[in-house]
Amino acid sequence: MTDLAMTRLHEAIVVLYAIGIIFYFVDYLKKDAKSRRIAFWFVSVVWILQSVFLIVYIIQTHRFPILTLFEGIYFYSWLLVSISILLHCVYRADLPVFFINILGFIFMVIHTFAPNQVAQSPVGENLVSELLFIHVMFAILSYVAFSLSFVFSTLYVILYNVLKKKKWTKQWTRLPSLGQAESSSNWAMVIGIPILFISLILGFMWAYITVDNLNVFDVKIIGSFITLFVYCTIVLLNRRDQLHSIRLAWVNICAFLLVIINFFLGSSLSGFHFWY
């Protein structure tokens, strides 16, 4: 198998694994059986692709791939995926499966985009470029999800005030109900959180490879982690029934302002996040 084919295989594994984790996160928060099934099939495809790579590698090298650090990392990731599938099928253990897959994904990213691997690969420069592309793609998708959450929260506030003041007219009939607006806002937020988390993992890996004297306290990095923490806190408080209805909508609107500030101001002040 050519180096380019191996590179594409690893990139496909990372993307599919990321999608599977997103669906597992949705299932964990919403107890959605359909999301759980979708996540399982994505992770199963990841396991199949990883297994194909292991078999091909064993055939080419005539040995088991655990003699080097990066071979060991890959095999460790494969074992984590295998265990997660076993737990899913046999024990129906939702929370362990979710966290095992997060750990497996992190090690898969480390193996695929580690500096030594990139330096030794004939397609190393393309690999780094594509890592940046995947990072940016997931970041933008998370912003889209948070934007949808913001829109539905804004609609909730509008509908809440209209109903409270008893000013309902025909012009509001095309808008969703309060329940639909709140539910849609929550779903969009829940989907956006794991996407942003995955984007941060990939982005940190790219920066570690390409940026000299990386400053982990960079404005953009700190702002992104604060944004992730804020949205996680909102979801946690909502699940504990400590934040809901109009208060949840307003907090969500304020959280999106943080996204906007981090997107524009953070990029302008960052040492390596900039626009061409």
Side-chain angles (χ1 to χ4, degrees):
M1 190 176 291
T2 65
D3 290 313
L4 181 59
M6 286 292 190
T7 300
R8 294 292 178 262
L9 175 61
H10 285 137
E11 290 173 355
I13 290 173
V14 169
V15 173
L16 292 172
Y17 209 166
I19 296 173
I21 289 175
I22 292 169
F23 278 104
Y24 266 128
F25 185 78
V26 171
D27 168 58
Y28 172 64
L29 289 181
K30 298 294 184 179
K31 300 298 179 183
D32 184 67
K34 184 177 180 180
S35 295
R36 189 171 186 268
R37 287 194 298 271
I38 294 173
F40 173 74
W41 286 115
F42 269 105
V43 172
S44 297
V45 172
V46 167
W47 182 83
I48 292 172
L49 292 175
Q50 285 184 321
S51 300
V52 168
F53 172 80
L54 283 175
I55 293 171
V56 171
Y57 194 86
I58 291 172
I59 293 173
Q60 289 180 342
T61 60
H62 304 287
R63 64 179 177 82
F64 203 76
I66 55 172
L67 298 182
T68 68
L69 174 62
F70 295 107
E71 289 176 355
I73 289 175
Y74 189 90
F75 183 65
Y76 178 61
S77 175
W78 178 84
L79 284 176
L80 289 175
V81 177
S82 302
I83 292 171
S84 74
I85 291 176
L86 180 65
L87 290 175
H88 180 107
C89 296
V90 178
Y91 296 104
R92 302 289 179 179
D94 296 338
L95 188 58
V97 168
F98 173 61
F99 284 109
I100 286 172
N101 278 304
I102 288 180
L103 190 60
F105 174 77
I106 291 173
F107 277 95
M108 188 64 214
V109 171
I110 291 173
H111 174 273
T112 304
F113 301 108
N116 287 355
Q117 293 286 81
V118 172
Q120 295 172 6
S121 173
V123 292
E125 292 185 4
N126 289 334
L127 193 62
V128 173
S129 176
E130 287 160 6
L131 171 60
L132 176 61
F133 171 78
I134 298 172
H135 157 63
V136 173
M137 178 184 69
F138 273 90
I140 292 174
L141 287 175
S142 71
Y143 295 153
V144 170
F146 293 140
S147 298
L148 289 174
S149 183
F150 166 76
V151 168
F152 281 110
S153 293
T154 303
L155 289 176
Y156 185 96
V157 171
I158 294 172
L159 289 168
Y160 181 88
N161 287 304
V162 167
L163 292 173
K164 186 176 181 180
K165 296 177 182 179
K166 299 181 180 179
K167 293 184 178 180
W168 185 266
T169 61
K170 290 183 178 180
Q171 71 186 83
W172 306 112
T173 56
R174 292 182 177 270
L175 296 179
S177 65
L178 284 175
Q180 290 173 332
E182 183 173 8
S183 176
S184 299
S185 176
N186 289 341
W187 270 102
M189 184 165 46
V190 165
I191 292 172
I193 288 173
I195 296 177
L196 178 59
F197 176 71
I198 290 168
S199 171
L200 291 177
I201 292 176
L202 298 174
F204 190 82
M205 195 69 196
W206 172 84
Y208 179 75
I209 295 172
T210 60
V211 178
D212 296 329
N213 300 319
L214 174 63
N215 179 18
V216 295
F217 297 104
D218 183 85
V219 174
K220 184 70 172 181
I221 295 177
I222 296 299
S224 297
F225 275 101
I226 290 175
T227 300
L228 180 64
F229 174 78
V230 168
Y231 275 104
C232 287
T233 302
I234 293 173
V235 170
L236 179 62
L237 292 176
N238 178 249
R239 283 179 58 82
R240 292 181 176 180
D241 205 28
Q242 296 177 348
L243 189 64
H244 52 80
S245 187
I246 190 67
R247 289 179 59 195
L248 174 62
W250 276 116
V251 169
N252 209 347
I253 291 172
C254 293
F256 183 71
L257 295 179
L258 181 62
V259 173
I260 297 299
I261 292 172
N262 184 55
F263 183 75
F264 290 104
L265 184 60
S267 297
S268 63
L269 297 178
S270 173
F272 57 92
H273 285 85
F274 45 83
W275 299 102
Y276 287 101

